[in-house]
Amino acid sequence: MRFGILGPLDVRTGDGTPLDPGGPRPRALLTLLLLDAGRPVSVQRLTDGLYGAEPPAGAGNALQSQISRLRGRLAPHAEIEATATGYRVAVAPDTVDAHRFETVSAAGRAALAAGDHVTAAARFREALALWRGPALPDLPDAEAEAARLEELRLAAVQDRIEADLALGGGSELVPELRALLAARPLGERLYGQLMRALHAAGRPAEALAVYEDARRTLADRLGADPSPELSALHLELLRGAAPERPRIPVQLTRFVGREPELARIAAGLAGSRLLTLTGPGGAGKTRLAIEAAQQHPAACFVELASLTDGATMPYAVLAALGVREGLRSPAADTTDRLLAALEERELLLVLDNCEHLVEEAARLTALLLAACPGVRVLATSRESLGITGEVLVPVPPLPPEPAVRLFLDRARAVRPGFDGHARVPVICAALDGLPLAIELAAARLRTLTPDELADRLHDRFRLLSRGDRSKAPRHRTLRAVVEWSWGLLDEEERELARRLTVFSGGATLAAVETVCGLPYPEDVLASLVEKSFLEVSEGRYRMLETIRAFAAESLPSLPGPEDLATAHAGYFLRLAEEAEPQLRGGGQLPWLARLAAEHANLDAALRHLVRHDTGGALRLMGPLSWFWRLRGVHGERVATARELLAAVGHTPPPGLEEEYVLCAVNALSGAGDEPELVARVDAVLDAYPGPLRLPYILVLWAVAAGPRPATDTQALALAGSSPWARALLDVGLGFRAQFVGRPRESEEYFARALAGYRTTGDRWGLANCLDPLGMLAHARGESERALELLDEGLAYVRELAAPEETADLLRTRATVLLHRGETAAAVAHFDEALALARGAGLPDKVAAARRGLGDAARLSGNTARARVQYENALRECAANWFSVGETVRGLIGLGRTAAAEGHAEEARDWFRQAAELAVEGPGDLELADAAEALAATAGSAERAAELLGAATGLRGGRTEGDPDVVRVERQARARLSAEAYDQAFEQGQRQRSAAVSER
């Protein structure tokens, strides 16, 4: 029989026939017995369960009557037995849904703990499917037992969700979790699971908002903060802890053989930090390196085959690592940024296809190994790098047995069920065991028999053996196979293969159709894929480099090869122009991904246009300039921009003034002070009537050349009616008002800009409004609101992978946390901001993060550590307009450290230096900071109050919550009457900067 008590009592015979146990009393009695199925239940417990704490007279006799009637209804399927103390229903516990639920749930928990998420999810679903409604509805007085079962049910639901999350669940879990939270608003585990589900669904802003809901709910209802586990999850999401994108290419075919080489690689990397796989093309070096790298917990794959200039190699490594430049990153320090990104990491760096840039690869590798002790390099090359300590692992041909296995594996992909043939070993031997040659030959079994394949290979090699005998035998073998395979293509396939060599890094179907001039090329492409001339993955077709080099040899024989390159450049110019407005709206993420996938093609198109069509090159560089900034790869184009600018001359072509300005912006990156070029571009913009088609000129030119003295009228004319450009102007006006001490006006501008960017959906703009709005909320003492704004901004910049804005928001958030007393969380944010800024080449941001770490150390009482951080921060500050503020704050930090150690005169000296430098800043905020610092060492309480008033006057309002300022104010108020304090404070507030000077 089967019994159900997880819902209305349900009794069924072995064949599934329902059985009615009777009215409410028999149903309650059977439920009581089933709760302890197979075990005795005392008369007292049964009586209490049926009649409550005050049973009627004769309850014992009544119980016997109920048992008798129930026996009759259950017979002959189940028996109720009398025992010495009571009764028991003689059925196995597993026949009762409640007991089975607990058993299956326990199995699910065991699988979950063991990491078997598939089994765990299945067991929990099986257990939860047993529930048909609330537990024990036929036993109304069993609240405690019903509550226990409901708690077990909730735990099983949450465990099942845990397994689903581990299996990649996301958006489909969100409605369920929201419903669970609506019923249980204090369930912290549910909040955490909802945050993770939203994050997995690509909705990080909502995930962070859930944490704020949890924090408010717990505070309002319990007066408590979130648990350490939930806080840690929040911090993890803020740090962008989405699953990292794969650093090692995913392979579409099975790896065969090479066990001895894999063992040699593992042993070599255990004892050396540089190992190079050498061998001819087609030997399988890349595939072997990928397989070896997959055995390492942290590995990054860098494809060098498409590079034509060794100077761009550091950029290729940075791009593979996912390290981006900031908006203001100079371009001259690429190698320094790479070293900074790797100096504290444990990483296996795979440099693939070094042979054509072997000297540059050797130099970069030697530098990395010397400066980054945790980095190991696995290189592939046809020759060694020639570095001391290099371990060489030659990649020989495959031995006969694995060669045959590889052939059979690839042959079955084109001829399912192929069981081998007597001549397969002969074919593999003829191919010298070269994996690429074997794969090309195996692909031919789609149309040839093994005998035909072997005969044709023999004939082809005999003919080619009369060729160039100076080449290595295995090189001749590979070329022979490629030539032979090429010869077996039909003319349409060969024609398309030649044309495909114009692409760098692969191509989409649409690009192939347009550039190659072949309508509906799907069938030909599919045929080239089947014959192993192309690989296809995620809608992109890519030609193996060995085959691409061979096919390119015959490209000049085609009529009009330059026309093909021009068609290629034209296609990608149109793509960039189509993408440009999308990069400033809500659809920017897929367009960023699309342009990133075409990175190499866009570069190739730009190089072609610079040589053949400078107007077209300007048109391409213009729309790409914002993409390069958002994706953090702009410094790589400095040399190209300078070449183009020199070719165009001092006067922009008519109609391309904006593109000319953007070319100058790219040429200025990292070039230092070039007043003639700056003046030339200023003249172009001054004469330009507007409105701008490419409005990001406003921000890029200001960053490249410094704040410009343009009038608001001119700026409005350039912005025109574009909501994006108008919002950008409001951001600029907001900062200008903030710098001169008008916080209320500043907040209005930022709020209006935020509304504008919400209209466009641009994440970059939203984040750049939310950061200052968060700072302003914090200054008013609204730390909760500040954190909400900053968390929303962080979610946006995480989606954009923008290092500069992420570092800014993390640093601002860290400051809020530090002022709230959450020092450990603040230090974690400062550390991450430091790593991002250092990798992005932003010295002023590095200085700001170090200064924040100094503040955290000092406020924790570690003055020695604080001093080191402040000194390091000052060393990072560059001699430019946007580093003045950080230099001032670094000096103040050293002064506060000296004051904490009891060196008042030294502190005053640091504070005076800060005040003198502050007047060179872009506004009054730096002088306000200096005034507050001077108040800490003022000679009298009146002077301290006056300086605090001056700081408030300079800022346009008080700063709430800064522990340094709070302490000084409290001390001054303790020594003065309220009237005297207010009088001195108001005097300083009126005098502003004049009150800061020494009297």
Side-chain angles (χ1 to χ4, degrees):
M1 294 189 71
R2 291 288 172 183
F3 301 89
I5 58 177
L6 300 178
L9 180 64
D10 184 55
V11 182
R12 293 184 181 269
T13 63
D15 62 2
T17 303
L19 190 153
D20 182 10
R25 285 279 163 79
R27 299 175 75 88
L29 176 59
L30 181 55
T31 300
L32 283 167
L33 291 167
L34 291 172
L35 282 172
D36 284 287
R39 297 192 299 271
V41 183
S42 69
V43 169
Q44 184 65 49
R45 185 179 172 194
L46 292 172
T47 303
D48 290 345
L50 287 175
Y51 303 109
E54 298 181 2
N61 292 331
L63 175 61
Q64 287 181 352
S65 298
Q66 294 288 351
I67 290 287
S68 178
R69 284 193 290 272
L70 186 57
R71 280 174 174 157
R73 288 184 176 271
L74 295 180
H77 308 288
E79 185 178 351
I80 299 177
E81 299 174 347
T83 69
T85 57
Y87 300 91
R88 77 180 183 100
V89 60
V91 296
D94 194 52
T95 62
V96 182
D97 59 3
H99 299 298
R100 178 159 179 76
F101 165 74
E102 294 194 47
T103 300
V104 177
S105 294
R109 286 193 300 275
L112 187 63
D116 186 355
H117 301 109
V118 172
T119 299
R123 293 290 80 77
F124 286 125
R125 282 187 167 82
E126 179 186 348
L128 291 165
L130 295 170
W131 285 72
R132 295 166 292 105
L136 312 182
D138 294 285
L139 202 59
D141 292 332
E143 293 93 346
E145 182 63 20
R148 184 187 76 85
L149 289 168
E150 288 291 348
E151 287 299 317
L152 290 176
R153 179 188 192 183
L154 176 60
V157 169
Q158 292 178 98
D159 285 340
R160 193 221 78 224
I161 291 171
E162 197 71 30
D164 287 344
L165 286 168
L167 293 170
S171 58
E172 72 279 5
L173 299 173
V174 171
E176 179 184 12
L177 282 164
R178 289 199 186 280
L180 288 167
L181 269 172
R184 299 167 183 82
L186 300 180
E188 287 196 71
R189 188 183 183 193
L190 291 171
Y191 281 116
Q193 290 181 326
L194 179 56
M195 290 164 65
R196 290 162 58 200
L198 287 165
H199 194 67
R203 295 150 67 181
E206 292 180 62
L208 295 173
V210 168
Y211 178 79
E212 297 304 327
D213 291 342
R215 180 159 54 185
R216 277 194 301 271
T217 302
L218 293 170
D220 293 345
R221 299 200 182 189
L222 301 178
D225 292 326
S227 66
E229 293 79 10
L230 191 61
S231 298
L233 174 61
H234 181 235
L235 182 60
E236 187 180 345
L237 297 187
L238 282 172
R239 289 176 174 175
E244 286 194 6
R245 62 185 181 85
R247 303 291 193 205
I248 301 297
V250 176
Q251 301 303 293
L252 304 180
T253 55
R254 195 163 61 90
F255 185 76
V256 177
R258 297 297 189 196
E259 290 82 3
E261 287 79 13
L262 286 171
R264 289 189 62 191
I265 293 169
L269 287 174
S272 174
R273 295 177 53 220
L274 170 61
L275 187 146
T276 303
L277 303 179
T278 60
K285 301 184 296 295
T286 297
R287 185 63 189 271
L288 178 59
I290 289 172
E291 191 69 18
Q294 288 174 340
Q295 312 307 315
H296 285 254
C300 178
F301 184 88
V302 187
E303 171 58 73
L304 303 178
S306 62
L307 299 188
T308 58
D309 181 358
T312 63
M313 195 175 294
Y315 281 102
V317 180
L318 284 169
L321 290 167
V323 176
R324 308 290 174 81
E325 294 174 294
L327 201 67
R328 298 204 299 254
S329 299
D333 64 343
T334 310
T335 303
D336 289 341
R337 289 194 298 108
L338 179 56
L339 296 179
L342 290 176
E343 64 181 352
E344 296 179 0
R345 292 184 65 173
E346 297 281 339
L347 182 75
L348 176 66
L349 193 64
V350 182
L351 300 179
D352 189 43
N353 289 308
C354 296
E355 53 272 351
H356 64 305
L357 298 170
V358 68
E359 292 184 6
E360 293 89 344
R363 279 196 296 271
L364 181 62
T365 299
L367 188 60
L368 287 172
L369 294 176
C372 308
V375 170
R376 297 175 186 272
V377 175
L378 174 59
T380 73
S381 178
R382 297 187 186 182
E383 60 181 296
S384 72
L385 301 188
I387 299 174
T388 302
E390 179 183 22
V391 173
L392 298 179
V393 175
V395 181
L398 284 170
E401 189 273 333
V404 169
R405 280 196 285 129
L406 176 64
F407 185 95
L408 293 177
D409 184 82
R410 302 305 189 256
R412 287 168 185 147
V414 298
R415 183 180 283 190
F418 180 69
D419 290 328
H421 189 277
R423 298 187 72 178
V424 168
V426 176
I427 293 170
C428 292
L431 297 173
D432 282 342
L434 283 173
L436 177 58
I438 291 171
E439 291 183 343
L440 286 171
R444 283 293 159 193
L445 288 188
R446 179 181 292 274
T447 55
L448 300 175
T449 68
D451 285 326
E452 290 171 331
L453 176 62
D455 291 342
R456 294 189 185 199
L457 280 174
H458 175 74
D459 293 342
R460 186 67 180 174
F461 288 161
R462 185 175 56 188
L463 176 64
L464 290 171
S465 67
R466 302 169 187 167
D468 186 354
R469 297 183 183 275
S470 66
K471 293 180 179 178
R474 284 198 297 273
H475 183 86
R476 291 206 309 269
T477 299
L478 178 63
R479 183 171 182 84
V481 173
V482 173
E483 282 192 7
W484 171 74
S485 297
W486 180 264
L488 294 178
L489 299 178
D490 63 33
E491 187 52 41
E492 189 179 27
E493 291 168 340
R494 283 196 293 269
E495 176 77 7
L496 181 56
R498 292 188 193 99
R499 290 180 176 274
L500 287 172
T501 61
V502 76
F503 293 101
S504 298
T508 62
L509 176 64
V512 172
E513 184 172 6
T514 303
V515 174
C516 298
L518 179 65
Y520 309 110
E522 295 93 328
D523 291 342
V524 184
L525 287 168
S527 179
L528 289 171
V529 170
E530 291 168 359
K531 295 171 183 177
S532 295
F533 272 78
L534 292 180
E535 296 175 331
V536 60
S537 177
E538 297 181 356
R540 295 184 66 80
Y541 295 89
R542 181 179 179 273
M543 187 173 280
L544 294 174
E545 286 301 317
T546 302
I547 295 173
R548 185 172 184 267
F550 177 88
E553 291 176 4
S554 58
L555 186 61
S557 65
L558 288 177
E562 282 300 322
D563 293 342
L564 185 62
T566 299
H568 175 273
Y571 175 85
F572 287 102
L573 170 58
R574 292 189 295 275
L575 177 68
E577 290 176 333
E578 181 184 0
E580 187 278 321
Q582 307 298 328
L583 297 180
R584 293 181 279 116
Q588 63 195 162
L589 293 181
W591 276 99
L592 283 168
R594 185 172 177 185
L595 292 184
E598 302 294 1
H599 171 92
N601 280 314
L602 290 164
D603 281 356
L606 184 58
R607 287 194 299 269
H608 175 82
L609 292 171
V610 168
R611 293 192 300 268
H612 297 93
D613 178 5
T614 54
L618 285 174
R619 287 174 54 208
L620 180 56
M621 184 170 283
L624 286 181
S625 295
W626 191 238
F627 163 70
W628 291 335
R629 287 332 192 269
L630 290 177
R631 269 293 174 252
V633 293
H634 50 93
E636 190 175 355
R637 286 25 181 233
V638 172
T640 304
R642 292 176 185 170
E643 180 184 353
L644 178 56
L645 203 61
V648 172
H650 287 195
T651 304
L656 295 177
E657 291 85 358
E658 296 181 39
E659 289 80 358
Y660 183 87
V661 170
L662 288 166
C663 183
V665 167
N666 291 304
L668 272 174
S669 298
D673 187 23
E674 297 187 33
E676 186 276 330
L677 178 57
V678 171
R680 194 194 320 162
V681 174
D682 276 339
V684 171
L685 286 175
D686 288 343
Y688 194 64
L692 293 170
R693 291 174 287 104
L694 308 173
Y696 39 84
I697 286 175
L698 294 168
V699 63
L700 295 186
W701 183 239
V703 167
R708 318 312 296 152
T711 64
D712 289 351
T713 302
Q714 182 194 11
L716 286 169
L718 290 175
S721 59
S722 162
W724 192 93
R726 288 292 183 128
L728 181 64
L729 283 186
D730 281 334
V731 170
L733 293 170
F735 279 119
R736 187 171 71 181
Q738 186 181 38
F739 290 160
V740 297
R742 298 200 297 269
R744 189 169 301 171
E745 179 184 337
S746 172
E747 191 162 19
E748 290 174 358
Y749 279 124
F750 285 126
R752 191 166 72 187
L754 182 66
Y757 282 127
R758 288 201 191 282
T759 300
T760 68
D762 178 25
R763 294 162 180 79
W764 178 87
L766 289 166
N768 277 276
C769 297
L770 290 162
D771 188 6
L773 285 170
M775 294 170 63
L776 289 163
H778 176 55
R780 290 196 305 272
E782 299 177 11
S783 62
E784 290 290 339
R785 176 60 178 159
L787 291 172
E788 290 177 11
L789 293 166
L790 296 171
D791 287 353
E792 183 185 354
L794 274 167
Y796 293 136
V797 295
R798 292 296 190 192
E799 290 181 314
L800 290 171
E804 181 173 357
E805 289 79 6
T806 305
D808 284 341
L809 283 153
L810 282 170
R811 196 178 62 253
T812 305
R813 195 175 198 280
T815 301
V816 176
L817 294 174
L818 186 62
H819 290 177
R820 286 162 56 106
E822 300 177 38
T823 306
V827 168
H829 281 353
F830 283 132
D831 279 336
E832 188 181 358
L834 174 62
L836 284 168
R838 191 165 50 192
L842 297 160
D844 59 313
K845 309 291 187 184
V846 172
R850 290 198 180 280
R851 188 255 309 161
L853 289 168
D855 289 343
R858 176 177 55 79
L859 291 171
S860 299
N862 191 340
T863 55
R865 182 172 179 79
R867 183 180 296 103
V868 171
Q869 294 288 8
Y870 292 135
E871 289 171 349
N872 287 337
L874 287 171
R875 277 194 287 271
E876 295 283 356
C877 290
N880 52 44
W881 65 272
F882 45 79
S883 280
V884 171
E886 271 315 313
T887 305
V888 167
R889 286 183 277 274
L891 294 170
I892 289 172
L894 286 172
R896 292 197 187 279
T897 302
E901 294 174 335
H903 307 307
E905 191 53 45
E906 180 189 346
R908 273 191 288 271
D909 182 58
W910 287 118
F911 296 154
R912 280 193 291 267
Q913 289 184 53
E916 290 167 4
L917 180 62
V919 298
E920 300 177 16
D924 295 332
L925 301 184
E926 291 77 13
L927 191 56
D929 289 338
E932 288 170 342
L934 286 164
T937 57
S940 67
E942 289 87 350
R943 177 62 175 155
E946 183 181 5
L947 286 165
L948 291 176
T952 298
L954 288 164
R955 280 203 186 88
R958 296 171 62 88
T959 298
E960 305 290 344
D962 185 331
D964 292 312
V965 178
V966 168
R967 183 173 57 254
V968 174
E969 180 181 351
R970 186 168 55 244
Q971 292 169 350
R973 286 186 180 276
R975 295 172 186 160
L976 295 172
S977 66
E979 182 180 354
Y981 180 89
D982 291 343
Q983 183 178 351
F985 185 91
E986 290 166 5
Q987 178 176 327
Q989 193 171 6
R990 287 192 301 272
Q991 291 182 334
R992 290 166 54 89
S993 59
V996 183
S997 60
E998 293 288 341
R999 293 185 298 186

